[in-house]
Amino acid sequence: QVQLVESGGGLVQAEGSLRLSCAASGLTFSRQTMGWFRQAPGQEREFVAAIHWSSRFTTYADSVKGRFTISRDNGKNTVYLQMNSLKPEDTAVYYCAARDTLSVATMTESARYNYWGQGTQVTVSS
């Protein structure tokens, strides 16, 4: 069956960095548009970043643009989220998601993804 397993979360001080990984199995990874989303306590899940299945396109939420970078390694069936200059407001559970050949136009929409990981906690202290 399909599995997405996130790792790399933890506790970091403000202005620090973390790199999240999401390892996928049970699907054709090279055909998957991959997204990162996050959910803070009491808030709705929100889009963070996505990378198109072609690897040619990426997109970011305004709140993380210039600080976060999404990338993928199709040989390792893994998508990454490099997070720099972290802020306390980045504290959340981070989820990766996958959808076969999801279009560029819709890859920010959580409802379009049909596979989700279990999440990894990121806590940024001030």
Side-chain angles (χ1 to χ4, degrees), residues 24-35:
S25 60
L27 45 67
T28 305
F29 185 75
S30 61
R31 290 173 53 87
Q32 307 299 314
T33 290
M34 301 298 296

Side-chain angles (χ1 to χ4, degrees), residues 3-7 21-25 29 76-79 96:
Q3 279 194 310
L4 301 178
V5 180
E6 301 99 335
S7 60
S21 301
C22 172
S25 60
F29 185 75
K76 296 182 178 179
N77 287 3
T78 300
V79 63
C96 71

Side-chain angles (χ1 to χ4, degrees), residues 2 81 95 97 100:
V2 175
L81 186 67
Y95 300 89
D100 189 282

Side-chain angles (χ1 to χ4, degrees), residues 69-126:
T69 303
I70 189 170
S71 61
R72 64 190 298 156
D73 184 337
N74 287 348
K76 296 182 178 179
N77 287 3
T78 300
V79 63
Y80 303 98
L81 186 67
Q82 177 66 45
M83 306 186 296
N84 298 329
S85 302
L86 282 160
K87 304 176 181 181
E89 51 264 43
D90 294 318
T91 295
V93 177
Y94 284 70
Y95 300 89
C96 71
R99 174 68 185 263
D100 189 282
T101 62
L102 185 62
S103 70
V104 171
T106 59
M107 63 184 186
T108 63
E109 301 173 21
S110 61
R112 300 285 185 171
Y113 291 82
N114 53 352
Y115 299 115
W116 291 83
Q118 81 290 347
T120 186
Q121 176 70 47
V122 171
T123 303
V124 184
S125 63
S126 57

